[in-house]
Amino acid sequence: MARLHTRKRGKSGSKRVYTETRPSWVQMSDQEVVDTIRNLRSQGMSYSMIGITLRDQYGIPSTRTVMRKKLGKIIQELGMAPQVPEDLMNLIERYRNITKHVEMNKNDLDNKRRQALLMSKILRLVKYYKREGYLSEEWNLSKVL
């Protein structure tokens, strides 16, 4: 399957192998892992930064193998999920930066095209999140742009 908005093909690359058994080197209990996640989230860390911190500092390769749940599900159960999903906010931030750049550089046609493609991605993702119930139907993109 081709990637979105690129000419590249294929999905080759290393894949993480998920096992059903808990790794033997993980010494933390399930409650300690949840408490650590709660603490890191209360410090304002994003999902990806929490995952990296758990991997690098606590030796937890994946919350999915240790807790049998994904990190996002655990954070939702704790009631600490953000209003807007992290991937959508990252795309919106990129769009803001490109918009600033295009305003200063009117003749940069390449970035004007990238801006249009990025908006297309954002709108597609917003439609998906509304359909799946992550965003309310009243949520509007103009609130964050």
Side-chain angles (χ1 to χ4, degrees), residues 1-98:
M1 180 176 175
R3 299 179 86 189
L4 192 63
H5 301 144
T6 63
R7 285 182 229 96
K8 297 178 183 175
R9 297 181 198 167
K11 296 176 81 174
S12 64
S14 61
K15 305 286 187 267
R16 180 181 291 179
V17 178
Y18 289 105
T19 60
E20 295 297 320
T21 59
R22 183 185 180 110
S24 59
W25 66 85
V26 176
Q27 301 298 319
M28 295 175 76
S29 69
D30 289 354
Q31 188 57 43
E32 288 174 329
V33 173
V34 170
D35 291 340
T36 305
I37 291 171
R38 179 184 292 117
N39 185 19
L40 294 173
R41 183 69 184 140
S42 65
Q43 291 176 11
M45 284 191 178
S46 65
Y47 289 20
S48 53
M49 285 305 299
I50 291 172
I52 290 170
T53 304
L54 288 174
R55 182 194 68 199
D56 294 344
Q57 293 180 6
Y58 297 94
I60 298 172
S62 168
T63 54
R64 186 171 164 186
T65 57
V66 174
M67 301 283 299
R68 311 279 190 276
K69 292 182 202 171
K70 290 185 176 183
L71 181 63
K73 190 74 166 172
I74 295 170
I75 292 175
Q76 272 184 341
E77 289 172 359
L78 291 173
M80 302 178 88
Q83 296 291 326
V84 179
E86 180 184 1
D87 56 347
L88 180 58
M89 276 311 296
N90 291 340
L91 286 175
I92 290 169
E93 189 59 35
R94 277 176 52 196
Y95 183 81
R96 285 182 192 146
N97 291 339
I98 288 178

Side-chain angles (χ1 to χ4, degrees), residues 111-137:
N111 274 315
K112 282 184 184 180
R113 172 156 168 74
R114 291 189 192 283
Q115 182 184 23
L117 294 177
L118 196 55
M119 180 50 77
S120 170
K121 265 185 201 177
I122 290 170
L123 293 174
R124 191 178 304 114
L125 201 55
V126 165
K127 189 183 341 179
Y128 166 76
Y129 281 138
K130 283 183 178 182
R131 184 176 65 234
E132 296 297 318
Y134 293 108
L135 291 174
S136 68
E137 290 297 324

Side-chain angles (χ1 to χ4, degrees), residues 91-108:
L91 286 175
I92 290 169
E93 189 59 35
R94 277 176 52 196
Y95 183 81
R96 285 182 192 146
N97 291 339
I98 288 178
T99 303
K100 255 191 274 185
H101 172 80
V102 168
E103 286 172 2
M104 290 171 45
N105 303 285
K106 300 285 186 195
N107 294 330
D108 190 352

